[in-house]
Amino acid sequence: MGLLQKACETYDTFQHLAGVEVQDRATLAPPGYISTRADIEITLIQDGTFKTARAVEKTEPKIIIPVTEDSAGRTSAPCAHPLCDLLVYLAPYEEKKHALYVEQLADWAASPYSHPQLQPILTYIQGETILNDLVQYGVIALDEKGRPKNEKALVRWRVLGLDPADSGPCWTNRGLMEAYGRYYASRKEGWSENLCMISGNRDVLARQHIKGIIPANGNAKLISANDSSGFTYRGRFDESWQAATVGYTASQKAHNALRWLADNQGVTMGGRTFLCWSPQGKEVPSPTGAMTRRDRRSQPSAKNPTEYQKQLRETLSGWRVDLPDNADVVIAAFDAATTGRLALTYYNELKGSDFLQRLYDWDKSCCWVNGGFGVQSPGLYWLATCAFGNYRENKWAVDDKILKQQMQRLVACRIDRAIFPVDVERLLVQRASNLQLLPWEDRQRLLFLTCAAIRKYHYDTTKEEYGMSLDRNNTDRSYLFGRLLAIAEAVERSTYDDKETREPNAIRLQSVFVQRPLYTWSVLKDRLIPYYEKLPPRLREYYRKEIAEIADKLSPNDETLNRKLEETYVLGYYHQRAYRKPKEDAQETATEATTEEL
């Protein structure tokens, strides 16, 4: 099964919502309709007399409007929509475009499939007063040639004074939708049919496909063919349609379903839109964020790894109730290299049980203590942003082209069970080795992300699962030096008052410490001497004892002591920094804690 087949299946599941407005949700467009945003609303009475007009606020939801196959994919060539259209088609100053609109609307109004709202609109348009009326109500402004400055403003209609079932807005009138469906079907009678590769049935083939199904990519089309001069298909086929015979009905269903999904739940990052859904209509967790459920987002944070694992198992069990094992899950990413062509950059289909297990496995191994928020799994956005972005003007910023590529890498890594990207881990370690460049809050976030990435990468490559609390038995050189760096920072900070903002020597020399740890530690140790004198005796003794204990684990004859530290030094630094003495050993006041708690 492919993307369009799953999109058609999705449309069939939600067919009862086609054309039905749902609060705070985009409307699913039926075949022959597209979802778009109106700019102007004109109200008429039953005889076609103008009543009022207003500008439509940008905050108002999109509407669905009837279209022909050609107008739904129109570009520069004139082609009118049947009812709601741009001012350039409705006003008479562009004779060719205006004539196309009037001719098509008149044909529909005169057909057996007409609707009471059509004749008032046709009468008003034929009166050619639309520009004057809109100017009088202050809705538009004209240029020196008497044309609207925004001739691409789309107009929607409201007709009053008809029977209750027919009065009101045209974009929500079910009778009008059904009438247009029958009218447009009658225009296709007698057209040749062929095998639709999407549905497997014989149908009238689509000559054009809907554009703009992913709002972030403008008018780009998912299916399109260059003209014969471009030689895109010639040499293989005589006509473009021979490359992929797609029926009109299947094309309309698939494209409208994708547009509906993108409007309601698409996640766009760097211009690339990610979709994840179940064609059976089941709720699914996001592949870009932590595995959480709506009904449990207010639960207390997990204070330790045991509590986190318990909550994660409960979350998995809850999702398995809502998302059956045999339900399908589709994950897709869309992007446009040009304004006219939309690409499917990632696609995967999984069963519900497999999808949930993969998210669970990722969150189980890619997690760390996030300060007061407890143990968490980081979102993919922050992993990509902090690894590949730059910190400017008190915020992280990353180039859109880089962000979308890295987001897709991480999504694919999570969904396809690939090894965590080593470059992402190393970049985060590099950033975490220059903490002095960041304010306190962003410093904590970066350390959280870095430790989670280190834990995930090592689990994927060696199956070693790092703990989240201080390991006094760990003899890894880098881990021990990380602990020493945290103690050096704590000694100096313990002498600061509440207003002190100066960075300790340990933080200022951190990047050098990573490259030459033994040499830099000797410098730091000498600089700690005046700070020891300011500490209470018990706290001074505690720090010295901690340093001696760590030094005993470092062999003085080890030639590797001064080599560049491995990434595990960040874990040692984090653990020591977050460590607090057990209550039974605490002899000093609260100010004598080894370090600030994250």
Side-chain angles (χ1 to χ4, degrees):
M1 299 287 283
L3 171 68
L4 296 183
Q5 289 169 310
K6 288 298 182 183
C8 283
E9 185 179 338
T10 303
Y11 182 92
D12 291 338
T13 299
F14 292 98
Q15 190 169 6
H16 62 285
L17 294 178
V20 179
E21 283 192 331
V22 180
Q23 188 175 5
D24 299 327
R25 302 275 291 177
T27 303
L28 176 61
Y33 277 73
I34 62 170
S35 175
T36 188
R37 190 174 299 282
D39 302 295
I40 299 171
E41 180 183 308
I42 296 178
T43 302
L44 309 174
I45 57 178
Q46 72 272 19
D47 61 355
T49 303
F50 176 84
K51 181 174 178 61
T52 187
R54 71 178 184 92
V56 178
E57 299 293 335
K58 297 296 184 182
T59 56
E60 296 187 40
K62 295 179 180 180
I63 64 170
I64 58 171
I65 63 171
V67 293
T68 66
E69 188 175 359
D70 293 331
S71 73
R74 70 186 182 190
T75 52
S76 58
C79 185
H81 293 323
L83 189 61
C84 301
D85 213 333
L86 310 180
L87 274 177
V88 69
Y89 284 91
L90 303 184
Y93 65 89
E94 284 276 0
E95 293 184 7
K96 184 176 181 180
K97 293 181 178 180
H98 183 67
L100 288 174
Y101 177 81
V102 173
E103 180 182 353
Q104 187 166 236
L105 181 57
D107 183 70
W108 182 13
S111 73
Y113 313 104
S114 183
H115 187 272
Q117 286 188 336
L118 299 181
Q119 190 58 50
I121 297 173
L122 178 61
T123 300
Y124 175 69
I125 288 296
Q126 290 174 333
E128 300 183 353
T129 63
I130 184 171
L131 292 184
N132 291 334
D133 293 333
L134 293 177
V135 170
Q136 182 179 356
Y137 269 77
V139 177
I140 65 169
L142 303 181
D143 60 18
E144 61 277 3
K145 295 182 180 180
R147 297 186 174 193
K149 292 184 177 180
N150 181 16
E151 61 182 13
K152 292 187 177 181
L154 189 134
V155 177
R156 68 186 188 186
W157 305 99
R158 186 185 295 267
V159 182
L160 306 178
L162 302 171
D163 292 340
D166 298 325
S167 291
C170 67
W171 61 93
T172 59
N173 193 303
R174 300 289 296 178
L176 182 64
M177 294 179 196
E178 295 170 1
Y180 180 72
R182 293 192 296 268
Y183 166 71
Y184 197 61
S186 69
R187 294 182 57 181
K188 289 182 172 290
E189 290 179 358
W191 290 17
S192 61
E193 296 181 351
N194 210 321
L195 177 67
C196 172
M197 293 183 176
I198 304 301
S199 65
N201 302 321
R202 294 186 65 82
D203 191 9
V204 174
L205 296 185
R207 298 175 302 177
Q208 286 204 52
H209 302 274
I210 297 174
K211 65 180 181 180
I213 62 171
I214 303 297
N217 298 120
N219 291 327
K221 288 185 177 181
L222 190 59
I223 303 177
S224 61
N226 198 4
D227 56 22
S228 57
S229 63
F231 298 99
T232 301
Y233 57 84
R234 294 183 70 182
R236 291 175 177 266
F237 310 103
D238 292 328
E239 301 292 339
S240 60
W241 62 266
Q242 294 173 334
T245 53
V246 180
Y248 170 77
T249 302
S251 174
Q252 291 285 311
K253 286 183 175 181
H255 285 83
N256 283 339
L258 289 175
R259 177 59 187 262
W260 180 65
L261 289 167
D263 281 339
N264 287 320
Q265 61 192 63
V267 176
T268 301
M269 296 184 184
R272 185 162 296 178
T273 299
F274 297 86
L275 290 180
C276 180
W277 81 96
S278 168
Q280 290 79 33
K282 306 298 182 181
E283 185 182 1
V284 297
S286 169
T288 62
M291 187 179 179
T292 57
R293 285 168 48 83
R294 290 181 181 178
D295 58 351
R296 297 185 65 85
R297 287 177 184 172
S298 60
Q299 68 179 355
S301 58
K303 297 179 181 179
N304 54 63
T306 302
E307 209 172 298
Y308 173 75
Q309 298 291 347
K310 179 182 178 182
Q311 288 186 3
L312 194 59
R313 287 193 297 270
E314 291 174 351
T315 300
L316 176 63
S317 299
W319 275 116
R320 282 175 171 167
V321 173
D322 295 338
L323 185 65
D325 291 350
N326 60 351
D328 296 320
V329 176
V330 178
I331 308 98
F334 301 87
D335 199 3
T338 67
T339 56
R341 302 293 185 266
L342 183 68
L344 179 66
T345 60
Y346 177 81
Y347 183 77
N348 203 345
E349 295 178 18
L350 298 170
K351 290 298 181 183
S353 57
D354 195 11
F355 175 69
L356 293 177
Q357 189 63 46
R358 294 184 184 199
L359 296 189
Y360 171 82
D361 291 342
W362 172 282
D363 286 8
K364 181 181 178 182
S365 55
C366 185
C367 59
W368 200 257
V369 181
N370 188 15
F373 297 103
V375 182
Q376 289 183 334
S377 179
L380 304 190
Y381 170 81
W382 283 111
L383 286 171
T385 299
C386 292
F388 295 93
N390 295 307
Y391 194 80
R392 299 171 182 168
E393 298 178 355
N394 295 323
K395 64 179 180 179
W396 287 99
V398 60
D399 183 82
D400 284 347
K401 292 182 180 179
I402 296 176
L403 176 61
K404 64 185 179 183
Q405 292 169 353
Q406 300 308 322
M407 279 298 300
Q408 182 163 313
R409 283 183 69 202
L410 291 171
V411 168
C413 177
R414 188 181 190 191
I415 299 302
D416 300 337
R417 284 178 169 160
I419 294 175
F420 189 88
V422 64
D423 59 320
V424 175
E425 184 227 28
R426 288 176 179 175
L427 282 169
L428 287 170
V429 171
Q430 181 180 335
R431 298 295 168 84
S433 299
N434 289 277
L435 292 177
Q436 64 176 335
L437 302 177
L438 304 174
W440 183 260
E441 183 178 344
D442 291 289
R443 189 177 297 185
Q444 310 318 308
R445 173 183 287 155
L446 180 57
L447 285 172
F448 158 65
L449 293 170
T450 304
C451 291
I454 294 172
R455 188 173 192 267
K456 174 63 177 172
Y457 175 74
H458 280 265
Y459 180 81
D460 289 346
T461 53
T462 66
K463 297 304 177 184
E464 183 179 3
E465 192 167 342
Y466 286 126
M468 299 182 202
S469 57
L470 182 63
D471 183 4
R472 292 187 173 277
N473 297 319
N474 192 326
T475 58
D476 176 71
R477 176 185 69 98
S478 297
Y479 186 87
L480 293 173
F481 271 116
R483 290 183 61 189
L484 288 175
L485 183 67
I487 293 174
E489 178 187 3
V491 169
E492 192 167 341
R493 287 194 187 277
S494 296
T495 65
Y496 289 0
D497 56 31
D498 293 339
K499 297 181 180 179
E500 181 64 68
T501 59
R502 178 174 54 87
E503 290 289 358
N505 287 301
I507 297 301
R508 286 188 285 148
L509 295 176
Q510 183 186 9
S511 58
V512 182
F513 184 85
V514 175
Q515 300 296 325
R516 302 173 64 191
L518 186 60
Y519 166 77
T520 312
W521 172 246
S522 65
V523 173
L524 284 175
K525 188 167 61 172
D526 291 340
R527 294 187 182 183
L528 289 179
I529 295 174
Y531 295 102
Y532 279 130
E533 297 175 357
K534 299 179 183 180
L535 295 176
R538 288 184 180 274
L539 188 56
R540 184 190 316 142
E541 182 63 24
Y542 173 78
Y543 284 135
R544 285 176 171 168
K545 182 180 179 181
E546 286 284 281
I547 292 174
E549 179 185 328
I550 296 171
D552 287 343
K553 294 183 174 67
L554 292 169
S555 172
N557 299 322
D558 190 345
E559 297 180 355
T560 67
L561 285 183
N562 205 37
R563 290 183 183 177
K564 181 180 178 181
L565 296 179
E566 302 294 332
E567 64 270 21
T568 50
Y569 99 89
V570 181
L571 302 183
Y573 172 76
Y574 190 104
H575 285 158
Q576 186 68 47
R577 197 165 171 264
Y579 176 71
R580 284 187 178 274
K581 293 179 293 182
K583 291 182 179 180
E584 60 270 17
D585 295 334
Q587 301 295 326
E588 300 293 328
T589 62
T591 59
E592 296 176 358
T594 61
T595 181
E596 290 97 337
E597 191 171 18
L598 290 179

